[in-house]
Amino acid sequence: MTETKRGPLLLILFAALMAGAGNGISMVAFPWLVLQRNGSALEAAIVAMAATLPLLAATLIAGAAVDYLGRRRVSMLSDVLSGLSVATVPVLALVFGVQVINVVVLAVLAAFGAFFDPAGMTARQTMLPEAAEQAGWSLDRANSVYEAAFNLAYIVGPGIGGLLIAAIGGINTMWVTAATFACSLAAIAVLRLEGAGVPDREALPDGVWAGIVEGLRFVWHTPVLRTLAIIDLVATGLYMPMESVLFPKYFTDRNEPAQLGWVLMAMSIGGLVGALGYAVVSKYLSRRATMLTAVITLGVAMTVVAFLPPLPLILTMCAIVGLVYGPIAPIANYVMQTRSPQHLRGRVVGVMGSLAYAAGPVGLVVAGPMADRAGLHATFLALALPMLLLGVVAVFLPALRQLDRSYRIAMCCLS
C-alpha cells in the first residue's frame, strides 16, 4: 500500500490529534481561570456545565449537518468556530483588560466552543471507514488508532495546558489552544476522500428535523446501540464531574496546576495504551467482556480516588481507568459504523454522542454545590458508588451479547 493511499487516513488522525489537544487544553484552562478568581467550585461547575450543556443538542445537529452538508466541510467549519471561541479570551483581555474575563464571559465562550466541537468530531469519525479501506487497514485497526490519537491528544492537551498555565498564565494559554484548531483545519483542508464531499441529497429526508428523527429511530430500534447509549449516558454523568470540577477544585485548593495536568495525563496515557492495545486484546477477549471489565473497574477506581489518597495512588488509579476504558470507544465506533447505512452514519454517531452527553450537565449541577458544602471526599464517593452499580447491572443486559456479532459495513439504504 502506497503512502498516497494512506494519506487521507493520516490526515484524519492528525486532525483528530490537534483538535483533541485543543479541547484538552481548554478542559484545564477554563476551570482554572474561574477558580483562580475566587476558588468557587460552584462557578467552576457553571463554566464546565456551559461547556457541556450545548453538547446534547449540538451533537444531534452535528450528525445531521454531516449527512446534509458533507463531512469535510463540517469538519473545517467546526475548527474555525472552535478556534475563535478560545482565541476570544486573550483578545478580550488585550482590548478591555483581564477584569472583563469573568465567569459569565468564560461560560459563554465555553458554551460557544462546545456547540461546534461535536460537529468536527462526528465528521472525522464518519470518514474513517472509507479512509481505512483506502489505506488497506481493517476497521478495528483504524478505530483503535483513531481513539489512540484522541487519547494522545488528552495527554498533550491537559499536560501542556497545566504547564503553560504555570509558565505564562491561563489567558495566554488560550493562544496555544487556538493554534491547535488551526492545525486541524489545515489538515482537513488538503484532504481528498470519497464520501467526504457534498452528499447525495436524494438519500436524505427533506427536512433536517425529519433526518434527526430518522437517526433517533434507528438507534432506538437497534438494541445494541440503544444499550450502549444508555451505558454511556449514565457513565458520563458520573464521571464527567470528577474530571471537570472535582480534580480542578482539589488541585486549585492546593495551588498545584501542574499536578492537575499529571492526573489528566495519567488517564490519557492509560487510554492511549488501552486503545492501541484493543486490536490485540480483541483476539483473546470478547467485546462484551471488555465492556464489562471497563465499567466495573471504573467504579472500583473511582471509589479508591474518593478517599483522596496520596498523588501516586491517584495517578495509578487514573491510569487504570484509562487502560480499561480505552477499548470502549473503538468498540462503539465499530458497532455504529457497521450497523448504520452510509447515508445515516453521521446522524447515528450524533445521536449516540448526544445521549452520552445528556447526563453530563445533571452531574455537574449536583457535583459543584455538593463539593462546596459536603466536601470533595463525599462528592467523589457519591459518584463512585453508582458507577459500581452500573457495572453490576451491565452484566445482566442481554443486548451487550450482540457486541460479538460480526456485521458488514452498511453501505446501502434501509429497506
Side-chain angles (χ1 to χ4, degrees), residues 215-232 331-341 348-349 351-352 355 399-400 402-403:
L216 285 165
R217 186 182 298 116
F218 182 86
V219 170
W220 182 254
H221 290 292
T222 308
V224 64
L225 290 176
R226 183 176 67 240
T227 302
L228 284 176
I230 293 172
I231 290 176
D232 275 350
I331 291 173
N333 291 349
Y334 176 86
V335 175
M336 288 185 286
Q337 292 159 354
T338 57
R339 296 301 301 272
S340 58
V348 169
V349 173
V351 167
M352 293 290 287
L355 292 176
L400 292 183
Q402 297 181 27
L403 291 173

PDB file of all heavy atoms in Angstrom, residues 215-232 331-341 348-349 351-352 355 399-400 402-403:
ATOM      1  N   GLY A 215     -32.558   9.235  12.549  1.00  0.00           N
ATOM      2  CA  GLY A 215     -31.410   8.723  13.285  1.00  0.00           C
ATOM      3  C   GLY A 215     -31.788   8.225  14.665  1.00  0.00           C
ATOM      4  O   GLY A 215     -31.327   7.162  15.112  1.00  0.00           O
ATOM      5  N   LEU A 216     -32.631   8.988  15.374  1.00  0.00           N
ATOM      6  CA  LEU A 216     -33.103   8.568  16.695  1.00  0.00           C
ATOM      7  C   LEU A 216     -33.859   7.247  16.612  1.00  0.00           C
ATOM      8  O   LEU A 216     -33.660   6.348  17.451  1.00  0.00           O
ATOM      9  CB  LEU A 216     -34.006   9.645  17.281  1.00  0.00           C
ATOM     10  CG  LEU A 216     -33.327  10.907  17.822  1.00  0.00           C
ATOM     11  CD1 LEU A 216     -34.355  12.020  18.031  1.00  0.00           C
ATOM     12  CD2 LEU A 216     -32.610  10.605  19.138  1.00  0.00           C
ATOM     13  N   ARG A 217     -34.704   7.131  15.619  1.00  0.00           N
ATOM     14  CA  ARG A 217     -35.492   5.909  15.470  1.00  0.00           C
ATOM     15  C   ARG A 217     -34.589   4.707  15.199  1.00  0.00           C
ATOM     16  O   ARG A 217     -34.803   3.615  15.748  1.00  0.00           O
ATOM     17  CB  ARG A 217     -36.507   6.078  14.341  1.00  0.00           C
ATOM     18  CG  ARG A 217     -37.482   4.910  14.208  1.00  0.00           C
ATOM     19  CD  ARG A 217     -38.435   5.088  13.046  1.00  0.00           C
ATOM     20  NE  ARG A 217     -39.266   6.275  13.227  1.00  0.00           N
ATOM     21  CZ  ARG A 217     -39.237   7.339  12.439  1.00  0.00           C
ATOM     22  NH1 ARG A 217     -38.389   7.378  11.420  1.00  0.00           N
ATOM     23  NH2 ARG A 217     -40.025   8.366  12.673  1.00  0.00           N
ATOM     24  N   PHE A 218     -33.576   4.912  14.362  1.00  0.00           N
ATOM     25  CA  PHE A 218     -32.683   3.807  14.036  1.00  0.00           C
ATOM     26  C   PHE A 218     -31.945   3.321  15.289  1.00  0.00           C
ATOM     27  O   PHE A 218     -31.843   2.109  15.536  1.00  0.00           O
ATOM     28  CB  PHE A 218     -31.674   4.242  12.970  1.00  0.00           C
ATOM     29  CG  PHE A 218     -30.738   3.146  12.536  1.00  0.00           C
ATOM     30  CD1 PHE A 218     -31.101   2.268  11.531  1.00  0.00           C
ATOM     31  CD2 PHE A 218     -29.499   2.984  13.148  1.00  0.00           C
ATOM     32  CE1 PHE A 218     -30.246   1.248  11.133  1.00  0.00           C
ATOM     33  CE2 PHE A 218     -28.643   1.971  12.753  1.00  0.00           C
ATOM     34  CZ  PHE A 218     -29.019   1.094  11.746  1.00  0.00           C
ATOM     35  N   VAL A 219     -31.427   4.253  16.084  1.00  0.00           N
ATOM     36  CA  VAL A 219     -30.709   3.866  17.304  1.00  0.00           C
ATOM     37  C   VAL A 219     -31.645   3.169  18.280  1.00  0.00           C
ATOM     38  O   VAL A 219     -31.304   2.141  18.870  1.00  0.00           O
ATOM     39  CB  VAL A 219     -30.050   5.101  17.963  1.00  0.00           C
ATOM     40  CG1 VAL A 219     -29.509   4.757  19.357  1.00  0.00           C
ATOM     41  CG2 VAL A 219     -28.926   5.632  17.084  1.00  0.00           C
ATOM     42  N   TRP A 220     -32.847   3.712  18.465  1.00  0.00           N
ATOM     43  CA  TRP A 220     -33.774   3.148  19.438  1.00  0.00           C
ATOM     44  C   TRP A 220     -34.192   1.729  19.064  1.00  0.00           C
ATOM     45  O   TRP A 220     -34.379   0.873  19.931  1.00  0.00           O
ATOM     46  CB  TRP A 220     -35.002   4.041  19.567  1.00  0.00           C
ATOM     47  CG  TRP A 220     -35.976   3.522  20.588  1.00  0.00           C
ATOM     48  CD1 TRP A 220     -37.183   2.911  20.374  1.00  0.00           C
ATOM     49  CD2 TRP A 220     -35.807   3.563  22.016  1.00  0.00           C
ATOM     50  NE1 TRP A 220     -37.772   2.565  21.559  1.00  0.00           N
ATOM     51  CE2 TRP A 220     -36.952   2.951  22.585  1.00  0.00           C
ATOM     52  CE3 TRP A 220     -34.795   4.051  22.846  1.00  0.00           C
ATOM     53  CZ2 TRP A 220     -37.111   2.814  23.959  1.00  0.00           C
ATOM     54  CZ3 TRP A 220     -34.960   3.929  24.221  1.00  0.00           C
ATOM     55  CH2 TRP A 220     -36.098   3.314  24.769  1.00  0.00           C
ATOM     56  N   HIS A 221     -34.335   1.462  17.775  1.00  0.00           N
ATOM     57  CA  HIS A 221     -34.778   0.144  17.326  1.00  0.00           C
ATOM     58  C   HIS A 221     -33.618  -0.824  17.081  1.00  0.00           C
ATOM     59  O   HIS A 221     -33.843  -1.927  16.577  1.00  0.00           O
ATOM     60  CB  HIS A 221     -35.631   0.277  16.057  1.00  0.00           C
ATOM     61  CG  HIS A 221     -36.970   0.907  16.303  1.00  0.00           C
ATOM     62  ND1 HIS A 221     -37.970   0.298  17.020  1.00  0.00           N
ATOM     63  CD2 HIS A 221     -37.462   2.128  15.955  1.00  0.00           C
ATOM     64  CE1 HIS A 221     -39.025   1.085  17.086  1.00  0.00           C
ATOM     65  NE2 HIS A 221     -38.746   2.206  16.445  1.00  0.00           N
ATOM     66  N   THR A 222     -32.406  -0.416  17.435  1.00  0.00           N
ATOM     67  CA  THR A 222     -31.237  -1.306  17.355  1.00  0.00           C
ATOM     68  C   THR A 222     -30.777  -1.552  18.789  1.00  0.00           C
ATOM     69  O   THR A 222     -30.121  -0.704  19.388  1.00  0.00           O
ATOM     70  CB  THR A 222     -30.106  -0.670  16.529  1.00  0.00           C
ATOM     71  OG1 THR A 222     -30.627  -0.246  15.262  1.00  0.00           O
ATOM     72  CG2 THR A 222     -28.976  -1.658  16.309  1.00  0.00           C
ATOM     73  N   PRO A 223     -31.131  -2.701  19.377  1.00  0.00           N
ATOM     74  CA  PRO A 223     -30.915  -2.911  20.816  1.00  0.00           C
ATOM     75  C   PRO A 223     -29.482  -2.677  21.286  1.00  0.00           C
ATOM     76  O   PRO A 223     -29.270  -2.087  22.349  1.00  0.00           O
ATOM     77  CB  PRO A 223     -31.338  -4.368  21.032  1.00  0.00           C
ATOM     78  CG  PRO A 223     -32.348  -4.617  19.948  1.00  0.00           C
ATOM     79  CD  PRO A 223     -31.851  -3.828  18.766  1.00  0.00           C
ATOM     80  N   VAL A 224     -28.515  -3.111  20.507  1.00  0.00           N
ATOM     81  CA  VAL A 224     -27.137  -2.964  20.970  1.00  0.00           C
ATOM     82  C   VAL A 224     -26.729  -1.494  21.005  1.00  0.00           C
ATOM     83  O   VAL A 224     -26.034  -1.048  21.933  1.00  0.00           O
ATOM     84  CB  VAL A 224     -26.165  -3.790  20.098  1.00  0.00           C
ATOM     85  CG1 VAL A 224     -26.139  -3.296  18.648  1.00  0.00           C
ATOM     86  CG2 VAL A 224     -24.766  -3.796  20.698  1.00  0.00           C
ATOM     87  N   LEU A 225     -27.172  -0.704  20.034  1.00  0.00           N
ATOM     88  CA  LEU A 225     -26.884   0.733  20.041  1.00  0.00           C
ATOM     89  C   LEU A 225     -27.622   1.425  21.186  1.00  0.00           C
ATOM     90  O   LEU A 225     -27.060   2.288  21.871  1.00  0.00           O
ATOM     91  CB  LEU A 225     -27.282   1.361  18.708  1.00  0.00           C
ATOM     92  CG  LEU A 225     -26.428   0.992  17.492  1.00  0.00           C
ATOM     93  CD1 LEU A 225     -27.021   1.614  16.227  1.00  0.00           C
ATOM     94  CD2 LEU A 225     -24.992   1.452  17.669  1.00  0.00           C
ATOM     95  N   ARG A 226     -28.867   1.062  21.388  1.00  0.00           N
ATOM     96  CA  ARG A 226     -29.646   1.669  22.468  1.00  0.00           C
ATOM     97  C   ARG A 226     -29.006   1.393  23.835  1.00  0.00           C
ATOM     98  O   ARG A 226     -28.893   2.290  24.678  1.00  0.00           O
ATOM     99  CB  ARG A 226     -31.075   1.123  22.442  1.00  0.00           C
ATOM    100  CG  ARG A 226     -31.981   1.751  23.488  1.00  0.00           C
ATOM    101  CD  ARG A 226     -33.403   1.238  23.359  1.00  0.00           C
ATOM    102  NE  ARG A 226     -33.521  -0.175  23.682  1.00  0.00           N
ATOM    103  CZ  ARG A 226     -33.967  -1.099  22.838  1.00  0.00           C
ATOM    104  NH1 ARG A 226     -34.345  -0.765  21.613  1.00  0.00           N
ATOM    105  NH2 ARG A 226     -34.055  -2.358  23.201  1.00  0.00           N
ATOM    106  N   THR A 227     -28.554   0.176  24.049  1.00  0.00           N
ATOM    107  CA  THR A 227     -27.946  -0.185  25.331  1.00  0.00           C
ATOM    108  C   THR A 227     -26.618   0.519  25.531  1.00  0.00           C
ATOM    109  O   THR A 227     -26.328   1.024  26.628  1.00  0.00           O
ATOM    110  CB  THR A 227     -27.754  -1.707  25.412  1.00  0.00           C
ATOM    111  OG1 THR A 227     -29.030  -2.350  25.243  1.00  0.00           O
ATOM    112  CG2 THR A 227     -27.159  -2.110  26.756  1.00  0.00           C
ATOM    113  N   LEU A 228     -25.796   0.579  24.486  1.00  0.00           N
ATOM    114  CA  LEU A 228     -24.521   1.306  24.593  1.00  0.00           C
ATOM    115  C   LEU A 228     -24.764   2.772  24.905  1.00  0.00           C
ATOM    116  O   LEU A 228     -24.032   3.380  25.705  1.00  0.00           O
ATOM    117  CB  LEU A 228     -23.735   1.168  23.285  1.00  0.00           C
ATOM    118  CG  LEU A 228     -23.039  -0.163  23.022  1.00  0.00           C
ATOM    119  CD1 LEU A 228     -22.405  -0.146  21.629  1.00  0.00           C
ATOM    120  CD2 LEU A 228     -21.983  -0.459  24.075  1.00  0.00           C
ATOM    121  N   ALA A 229     -25.783   3.363  24.294  1.00  0.00           N
ATOM    122  CA  ALA A 229     -26.080   4.782  24.532  1.00  0.00           C
ATOM    123  C   ALA A 229     -26.482   5.020  25.985  1.00  0.00           C
ATOM    124  O   ALA A 229     -26.060   6.001  26.609  1.00  0.00           O
ATOM    125  CB  ALA A 229     -27.188   5.249  23.588  1.00  0.00           C
ATOM    126  N   ILE A 230     -27.284   4.131  26.556  1.00  0.00           N
ATOM    127  CA  ILE A 230     -27.717   4.294  27.949  1.00  0.00           C
ATOM    128  C   ILE A 230     -26.539   4.147  28.903  1.00  0.00           C
ATOM    129  O   ILE A 230     -26.396   4.907  29.869  1.00  0.00           O
ATOM    130  CB  ILE A 230     -28.829   3.283  28.277  1.00  0.00           C
ATOM    131  CG1 ILE A 230     -30.090   3.621  27.479  1.00  0.00           C
ATOM    132  CG2 ILE A 230     -29.127   3.270  29.772  1.00  0.00           C
ATOM    133  CD1 ILE A 230     -31.180   2.567  27.580  1.00  0.00           C
ATOM    134  N   ILE A 231     -25.677   3.178  28.648  1.00  0.00           N
ATOM    135  CA  ILE A 231     -24.490   2.996  29.499  1.00  0.00           C
ATOM    136  C   ILE A 231     -23.607   4.237  29.439  1.00  0.00           C
ATOM    137  O   ILE A 231     -23.109   4.726  30.460  1.00  0.00           O
ATOM    138  CB  ILE A 231     -23.713   1.740  29.075  1.00  0.00           C
ATOM    139  CG1 ILE A 231     -24.507   0.479  29.440  1.00  0.00           C
ATOM    140  CG2 ILE A 231     -22.332   1.703  29.738  1.00  0.00           C
ATOM    141  CD1 ILE A 231     -23.874  -0.809  28.967  1.00  0.00           C
ATOM    142  N   ASP A 232     -23.412   4.770  28.236  1.00  0.00           N
ATOM    143  CA  ASP A 232     -22.609   5.987  28.090  1.00  0.00           C
ATOM    144  C   ASP A 232     -23.247   7.159  28.824  1.00  0.00           C
ATOM    145  O   ASP A 232     -22.561   7.980  29.436  1.00  0.00           O
ATOM    146  CB  ASP A 232     -22.442   6.335  26.603  1.00  0.00           C
ATOM    147  CG  ASP A 232     -21.280   5.598  25.971  1.00  0.00           C
ATOM    148  OD1 ASP A 232     -20.505   4.988  26.721  1.00  0.00           O
ATOM    149  OD2 ASP A 232     -21.148   5.643  24.740  1.00  0.00           O
ATOM    150  N   ILE A 331     -14.859   0.025  20.189  1.00  0.00           N
ATOM    151  CA  ILE A 331     -15.967  -0.926  20.093  1.00  0.00           C
ATOM    152  C   ILE A 331     -17.243  -0.211  19.668  1.00  0.00           C
ATOM    153  O   ILE A 331     -17.965  -0.662  18.765  1.00  0.00           O
ATOM    154  CB  ILE A 331     -16.173  -1.651  21.435  1.00  0.00           C
ATOM    155  CG1 ILE A 331     -15.001  -2.586  21.709  1.00  0.00           C
ATOM    156  CG2 ILE A 331     -17.478  -2.448  21.422  1.00  0.00           C
ATOM    157  CD1 ILE A 331     -15.031  -3.225  23.086  1.00  0.00           C
ATOM    158  N   ALA A 332     -17.540   0.907  20.326  1.00  0.00           N
ATOM    159  CA  ALA A 332     -18.747   1.660  19.982  1.00  0.00           C
ATOM    160  C   ALA A 332     -18.678   2.165  18.539  1.00  0.00           C
ATOM    161  O   ALA A 332     -19.674   2.115  17.804  1.00  0.00           O
ATOM    162  CB  ALA A 332     -18.930   2.827  20.948  1.00  0.00           C
ATOM    163  N   ASN A 333     -17.504   2.660  18.130  1.00  0.00           N
ATOM    164  CA  ASN A 333     -17.338   3.126  16.751  1.00  0.00           C
ATOM    165  C   ASN A 333     -17.611   2.004  15.757  1.00  0.00           C
ATOM    166  O   ASN A 333     -18.298   2.199  14.742  1.00  0.00           O
ATOM    167  CB  ASN A 333     -15.930   3.663  16.538  1.00  0.00           C
ATOM    168  CG  ASN A 333     -15.682   4.960  17.281  1.00  0.00           C
ATOM    169  OD1 ASN A 333     -16.603   5.574  17.803  1.00  0.00           O
ATOM    170  ND2 ASN A 333     -14.427   5.366  17.345  1.00  0.00           N
ATOM    171  N   TYR A 334     -17.064   0.837  16.036  1.00  0.00           N
ATOM    172  CA  TYR A 334     -17.241  -0.308  15.139  1.00  0.00           C
ATOM    173  C   TYR A 334     -18.714  -0.652  14.986  1.00  0.00           C
ATOM    174  O   TYR A 334     -19.207  -0.880  13.874  1.00  0.00           O
ATOM    175  CB  TYR A 334     -16.470  -1.517  15.671  1.00  0.00           C
ATOM    176  CG  TYR A 334     -16.679  -2.774  14.868  1.00  0.00           C
ATOM    177  CD1 TYR A 334     -15.899  -3.044  13.745  1.00  0.00           C
ATOM    178  CD2 TYR A 334     -17.671  -3.696  15.213  1.00  0.00           C
ATOM    179  CE1 TYR A 334     -16.096  -4.198  12.993  1.00  0.00           C
ATOM    180  CE2 TYR A 334     -17.879  -4.846  14.480  1.00  0.00           C
ATOM    181  CZ  TYR A 334     -17.095  -5.089  13.368  1.00  0.00           C
ATOM    182  OH  TYR A 334     -17.300  -6.226  12.627  1.00  0.00           O
ATOM    183  N   VAL A 335     -19.426  -0.682  16.102  1.00  0.00           N
ATOM    184  CA  VAL A 335     -20.854  -1.021  16.045  1.00  0.00           C
ATOM    185  C   VAL A 335     -21.620   0.027  15.247  1.00  0.00           C
ATOM    186  O   VAL A 335     -22.454  -0.307  14.399  1.00  0.00           O
ATOM    187  CB  VAL A 335     -21.426  -1.156  17.465  1.00  0.00           C
ATOM    188  CG1 VAL A 335     -22.937  -1.386  17.415  1.00  0.00           C
ATOM    189  CG2 VAL A 335     -20.754  -2.305  18.207  1.00  0.00           C
ATOM    190  N   MET A 336     -21.344   1.308  15.488  1.00  0.00           N
ATOM    191  CA  MET A 336     -22.043   2.362  14.750  1.00  0.00           C
ATOM    192  C   MET A 336     -21.738   2.290  13.258  1.00  0.00           C
ATOM    193  O   MET A 336     -22.626   2.443  12.413  1.00  0.00           O
ATOM    194  CB  MET A 336     -21.658   3.735  15.299  1.00  0.00           C
ATOM    195  CG  MET A 336     -22.234   4.041  16.662  1.00  0.00           C
ATOM    196  SD  MET A 336     -21.894   5.735  17.224  1.00  0.00           S
ATOM    197  CE  MET A 336     -20.148   5.624  17.646  1.00  0.00           C
ATOM    198  N   GLN A 337     -20.474   2.074  12.918  1.00  0.00           N
ATOM    199  CA  GLN A 337     -20.065   2.079  11.521  1.00  0.00           C
ATOM    200  C   GLN A 337     -20.573   0.870  10.750  1.00  0.00           C
ATOM    201  O   GLN A 337     -20.827   0.962   9.544  1.00  0.00           O
ATOM    202  CB  GLN A 337     -18.536   2.147  11.438  1.00  0.00           C
ATOM    203  CG  GLN A 337     -17.970   3.470  11.926  1.00  0.00           C
ATOM    204  CD  GLN A 337     -16.513   3.380  12.324  1.00  0.00           C
ATOM    205  OE1 GLN A 337     -15.927   2.296  12.354  1.00  0.00           O
ATOM    206  NE2 GLN A 337     -15.924   4.521  12.657  1.00  0.00           N
ATOM    207  N   THR A 338     -20.726  -0.273  11.419  1.00  0.00           N
ATOM    208  CA  THR A 338     -21.155  -1.487  10.728  1.00  0.00           C
ATOM    209  C   THR A 338     -22.654  -1.698  10.771  1.00  0.00           C
ATOM    210  O   THR A 338     -23.193  -2.456   9.963  1.00  0.00           O
ATOM    211  CB  THR A 338     -20.462  -2.722  11.328  1.00  0.00           C
ATOM    212  OG1 THR A 338     -20.745  -2.799  12.737  1.00  0.00           O
ATOM    213  CG2 THR A 338     -18.961  -2.664  11.123  1.00  0.00           C
ATOM    214  N   ARG A 339     -23.359  -1.030  11.684  1.00  0.00           N
ATOM    215  CA  ARG A 339     -24.799  -1.222  11.790  1.00  0.00           C
ATOM    216  C   ARG A 339     -25.609  -0.125  11.113  1.00  0.00           C
ATOM    217  O   ARG A 339     -26.820  -0.276  10.939  1.00  0.00           O
ATOM    218  CB  ARG A 339     -25.212  -1.292  13.274  1.00  0.00           C
ATOM    219  CG  ARG A 339     -24.641  -2.487  14.035  1.00  0.00           C
ATOM    220  CD  ARG A 339     -25.053  -3.823  13.439  1.00  0.00           C
ATOM    221  NE  ARG A 339     -26.489  -3.991  13.398  1.00  0.00           N
ATOM    222  CZ  ARG A 339     -27.222  -4.496  14.387  1.00  0.00           C
ATOM    223  NH1 ARG A 339     -26.636  -4.883  15.492  1.00  0.00           N
ATOM    224  NH2 ARG A 339     -28.515  -4.627  14.271  1.00  0.00           N
ATOM    225  N   SER A 340     -24.997   0.986  10.750  1.00  0.00           N
ATOM    226  CA  SER A 340     -25.762   2.095  10.157  1.00  0.00           C
ATOM    227  C   SER A 340     -25.447   2.243   8.672  1.00  0.00           C
ATOM    228  O   SER A 340     -24.295   2.075   8.255  1.00  0.00           O
ATOM    229  CB  SER A 340     -25.444   3.407  10.886  1.00  0.00           C
ATOM    230  OG  SER A 340     -24.063   3.685  10.835  1.00  0.00           O
ATOM    231  N   PRO A 341     -26.444   2.569   7.855  1.00  0.00           N
ATOM    232  CA  PRO A 341     -26.204   2.828   6.437  1.00  0.00           C
ATOM    233  C   PRO A 341     -25.323   4.065   6.262  1.00  0.00           C
ATOM    234  O   PRO A 341     -25.301   4.950   7.122  1.00  0.00           O
ATOM    235  CB  PRO A 341     -27.604   3.066   5.860  1.00  0.00           C
ATOM    236  CG  PRO A 341     -28.543   2.534   6.884  1.00  0.00           C
ATOM    237  CD  PRO A 341     -27.863   2.680   8.206  1.00  0.00           C
ATOM    238  N   VAL A 348     -26.415   8.746  13.189  1.00  0.00           N
ATOM    239  CA  VAL A 348     -26.272   7.710  14.210  1.00  0.00           C
ATOM    240  C   VAL A 348     -25.160   8.078  15.188  1.00  0.00           C
ATOM    241  O   VAL A 348     -25.319   7.981  16.408  1.00  0.00           O
ATOM    242  CB  VAL A 348     -25.997   6.342  13.567  1.00  0.00           C
ATOM    243  CG1 VAL A 348     -25.573   5.318  14.621  1.00  0.00           C
ATOM    244  CG2 VAL A 348     -27.233   5.850  12.822  1.00  0.00           C
ATOM    245  N   VAL A 349     -24.024   8.529  14.655  1.00  0.00           N
ATOM    246  CA  VAL A 349     -22.936   8.982  15.520  1.00  0.00           C
ATOM    247  C   VAL A 349     -23.391  10.159  16.374  1.00  0.00           C
ATOM    248  O   VAL A 349     -23.099  10.243  17.571  1.00  0.00           O
ATOM    249  CB  VAL A 349     -21.694   9.362  14.688  1.00  0.00           C
ATOM    250  CG1 VAL A 349     -20.613   9.991  15.572  1.00  0.00           C
ATOM    251  CG2 VAL A 349     -21.134   8.131  13.985  1.00  0.00           C
ATOM    252  N   VAL A 351     -26.519  10.949  17.324  1.00  0.00           N
ATOM    253  CA  VAL A 351     -27.475  10.503  18.342  1.00  0.00           C
ATOM    254  C   VAL A 351     -26.757   9.830  19.495  1.00  0.00           C
ATOM    255  O   VAL A 351     -27.026  10.112  20.674  1.00  0.00           O
ATOM    256  CB  VAL A 351     -28.515   9.549  17.720  1.00  0.00           C
ATOM    257  CG1 VAL A 351     -29.315   8.840  18.816  1.00  0.00           C
ATOM    258  CG2 VAL A 351     -29.450  10.311  16.802  1.00  0.00           C
ATOM    259  N   MET A 352     -25.822   8.927  19.183  1.00  0.00           N
ATOM    260  CA  MET A 352     -25.085   8.233  20.237  1.00  0.00           C
ATOM    261  C   MET A 352     -24.294   9.219  21.090  1.00  0.00           C
ATOM    262  O   MET A 352     -24.254   9.119  22.320  1.00  0.00           O
ATOM    263  CB  MET A 352     -24.157   7.197  19.618  1.00  0.00           C
ATOM    264  CG  MET A 352     -24.872   6.036  18.943  1.00  0.00           C
ATOM    265  SD  MET A 352     -25.686   4.918  20.082  1.00  0.00           S
ATOM    266  CE  MET A 352     -24.258   4.083  20.778  1.00  0.00           C
ATOM    267  N   LEU A 355     -26.706  11.372  23.378  1.00  0.00           N
ATOM    268  CA  LEU A 355     -27.216  10.639  24.525  1.00  0.00           C
ATOM    269  C   LEU A 355     -26.134  10.460  25.585  1.00  0.00           C
ATOM    270  O   LEU A 355     -26.417  10.478  26.786  1.00  0.00           O
ATOM    271  CB  LEU A 355     -27.765   9.282  24.078  1.00  0.00           C
ATOM    272  CG  LEU A 355     -29.026   9.340  23.212  1.00  0.00           C
ATOM    273  CD1 LEU A 355     -29.433   7.952  22.752  1.00  0.00           C
ATOM    274  CD2 LEU A 355     -30.166  10.002  23.965  1.00  0.00           C
ATOM    275  N   ALA A 399     -28.581  -7.317  25.527  1.00  0.00           N
ATOM    276  CA  ALA A 399     -28.208  -6.665  24.268  1.00  0.00           C
ATOM    277  C   ALA A 399     -26.697  -6.591  24.093  1.00  0.00           C
ATOM    278  O   ALA A 399     -26.197  -6.558  22.953  1.00  0.00           O
ATOM    279  CB  ALA A 399     -28.802  -5.260  24.209  1.00  0.00           C
ATOM    280  N   LEU A 400     -25.933  -6.566  25.180  1.00  0.00           N
ATOM    281  CA  LEU A 400     -24.476  -6.485  25.068  1.00  0.00           C
ATOM    282  C   LEU A 400     -23.875  -7.730  24.435  1.00  0.00           C
ATOM    283  O   LEU A 400     -22.736  -7.699  23.960  1.00  0.00           O
ATOM    284  CB  LEU A 400     -23.843  -6.235  26.439  1.00  0.00           C
ATOM    285  CG  LEU A 400     -24.122  -4.871  27.071  1.00  0.00           C
ATOM    286  CD1 LEU A 400     -23.373  -4.729  28.390  1.00  0.00           C
ATOM    287  CD2 LEU A 400     -23.732  -3.741  26.122  1.00  0.00           C
ATOM    288  N   GLN A 402     -24.764  -8.873  21.716  1.00  0.00           N
ATOM    289  CA  GLN A 402     -24.685  -8.594  20.280  1.00  0.00           C
ATOM    290  C   GLN A 402     -23.382  -7.897  19.891  1.00  0.00           C
ATOM    291  O   GLN A 402     -23.076  -7.781  18.707  1.00  0.00           O
ATOM    292  CB  GLN A 402     -25.875  -7.725  19.861  1.00  0.00           C
ATOM    293  CG  GLN A 402     -27.222  -8.395  20.043  1.00  0.00           C
ATOM    294  CD  GLN A 402     -28.365  -7.509  19.591  1.00  0.00           C
ATOM    295  OE1 GLN A 402     -28.196  -6.645  18.723  1.00  0.00           O
ATOM    296  NE2 GLN A 402     -29.545  -7.715  20.154  1.00  0.00           N
ATOM    297  N   LEU A 403     -22.619  -7.427  20.880  1.00  0.00           N
ATOM    298  CA  LEU A 403     -21.338  -6.786  20.572  1.00  0.00           C
ATOM    299  C   LEU A 403     -20.392  -7.737  19.858  1.00  0.00           C
ATOM    300  O   LEU A 403     -19.500  -7.294  19.127  1.00  0.00           O
ATOM    301  CB  LEU A 403     -20.672  -6.283  21.864  1.00  0.00           C
ATOM    302  CG  LEU A 403     -21.336  -5.111  22.575  1.00  0.00           C
ATOM    303  CD1 LEU A 403     -20.642  -4.858  23.910  1.00  0.00           C
ATOM    304  CD2 LEU A 403     -21.282  -3.863  21.718  1.00  0.00           C
TER     305      LEU A 403
END
